[in-house]
Amino acid sequence: MGDRKPYPSDVTDAQWALIGPFLRAWKAKRVSVSGHQGDYDLREIVNAILYQNRTGCQWAYLPHDLPPKSATYYYFALWRDDGTDQAIHDLLRCQAREKAGRTEDPTAVVLDSQSVRAANHVPAATTGKDAGKKVSGRKRALAVDTLGLVIAVVVTAASVTDNAIGIRLLDTVVERAPTVTRAWVDAGFKQDLALHGSVLGIDVEVVKRSDTRPGFVPVRKRWIVEQTYGTLMLHRRLVREYESRPESAVSRTLWASMVTIVRRLTGTSTPSWRHR
């Protein structure tokens, strides 16, 4: 960071000790023909990505003491396209599960989706309208384990049904964690998802909410994924759909999830935006 004053979103030394080795190994495999190592430290690039994720600012509004858009977007897009962000996220998730006394890969997941309004510059070809929630934009669907850690992310137009998006989620879950044998979903997911799950060797159970108890009642199993969504919403870049490409929206979700995981691993809490 040099001599600049740190931002609350910056990774700490302990957190960088978890992320840094992966990125240094990635950098070592991408040696420039001219031997040029780049003008910006990778830790500062990560800090810039996390700053934008947390504050929701536009690329042109990144602070002057962080790497500029040209460098930050270059690495963000590169790590998105070559799967580096996904690889780091999954390795950190395995560490978090082991620290919690679990096996590296889960055996059960919880699925859910949320509809997010899109900004006016987001291409109409990748958006749609959720007829049920009256939201025009995209759907962000998650599969999380019983600790609330993200296993799979799928981003589609909001017009895509939960059943179709659930099928894509299960396919991604099998790819990321082939040990999963059980999935809990809400009533928005239909019989086709259960049939697809049986083909994949996953038992899909619909967990319905109670209509007899008044007020807010956490629903068994389903509250886990809802809690994960609530934590991700601390990152204002995710509150609205700003990304032109759905792949970028997936990457944003992974970076936000990584923040939660490294905080678990280092025992630190998320700084509050409220004045004490």
Side-chain angles (χ1 to χ4, degrees):
M1 289 190 305
D3 297 327
R4 75 169 176 83
K5 185 178 179 180
Y7 294 102
S9 56
D10 285 349
V11 292
T12 64
D13 291 342
Q15 292 167 0
W16 180 245
L18 296 170
I19 300 174
F22 299 121
L23 291 181
R24 285 193 291 269
W26 173 87
K27 187 71 172 179
K29 295 178 181 178
R30 297 181 61 89
V31 179
S32 171
V33 176
S34 63
H36 183 60
Q37 295 298 312
D39 296 327
Y40 299 99
D41 181 62
L42 292 182
R43 180 171 178 175
E44 283 292 78
I45 296 294
V46 170
N47 285 335
I49 293 173
L50 298 185
Y51 177 93
Q52 191 181 38
N53 245 26
R54 184 70 187 213
T55 64
C57 74
Q58 295 166 286
W59 283 106
Y61 286 81
L62 283 172
H64 295 302
D65 52 3
L66 287 174
K69 168 190 174 180
S70 56
T72 304
Y73 182 77
Y74 170 80
Y75 283 101
F76 172 79
L78 196 58
W79 292 337
R80 174 200 66 198
D81 294 340
D82 69 5
T84 296
D85 53 4
Q86 182 76 62
I88 295 176
H89 175 273
D90 290 350
L91 289 169
L92 290 173
R93 186 194 69 227
C94 290
Q95 292 183 34
R97 286 185 56 82
E98 287 185 329
K99 183 179 180 180
R102 307 294 184 91
T103 57
E104 284 190 3
D105 294 319
T107 58
V109 292
V110 190
L111 275 57
D112 199 9
S113 67
Q114 67 174 173
S115 295
V116 184
R117 294 188 184 278
N120 57 6
H121 69 273
V122 177
T126 62
T127 61
K129 185 172 183 179
D130 184 335
K133 298 178 181 177
K134 310 300 182 184
V135 173
S136 295
R138 289 188 180 139
K139 273 186 180 178
R140 181 186 302 123
L142 297 180
V144 305
D145 64 10
T146 54
L147 298 177
L149 302 176
V150 175
I151 305 299
V153 186
V154 171
V155 176
T156 68
S159 54
V160 177
T161 65
D162 281 352
N163 215 38
I165 205 171
I167 289 173
R168 287 185 56 182
L169 263 181
L170 284 187
D171 288 338
T172 308
V173 165
V174 170
E175 178 185 349
R176 303 291 180 204
T179 54
V180 170
T181 58
R182 192 172 186 84
W184 291 286
V185 300
D186 64 24
F189 296 89
K190 306 302 181 183
Q191 187 63 24
D192 287 350
L193 180 63
L195 294 174
H196 188 71
S198 64
V199 172
L200 299 175
I202 299 176
D203 179 24
V204 178
E205 178 185 347
V206 176
V207 182
K208 298 182 179 179
R209 64 182 177 87
S210 173
D211 293 324
T212 59
R213 299 174 61 185
F216 171 73
V217 180
V219 181
R220 182 181 66 89
K221 301 300 181 183
R222 277 171 48 189
W223 71 267
I224 300 172
V225 67
E226 298 292 351
Q227 185 181 53
T228 299
Y229 274 121
T231 303
L232 293 177
M233 288 301 101
L234 292 172
H235 301 265
R236 294 189 177 186
R237 189 80 182 188
L238 301 182
V239 174
R240 194 174 179 93
E241 186 55 78
Y242 294 108
E243 309 304 326
S244 297
R245 296 174 54 183
E247 296 87 352
S248 294
V250 171
S251 183
R252 290 288 183 187
T253 306
L254 293 175
W255 281 108
S257 178
M258 272 189 260
V259 171
T260 301
I261 295 173
V262 295
R263 290 193 183 283
R264 287 194 184 193
L265 289 171
T266 57
T268 53
S269 60
T270 303
S272 173
W273 56 267
R274 297 180 177 86
H275 295 292
R276 294 186 182 278

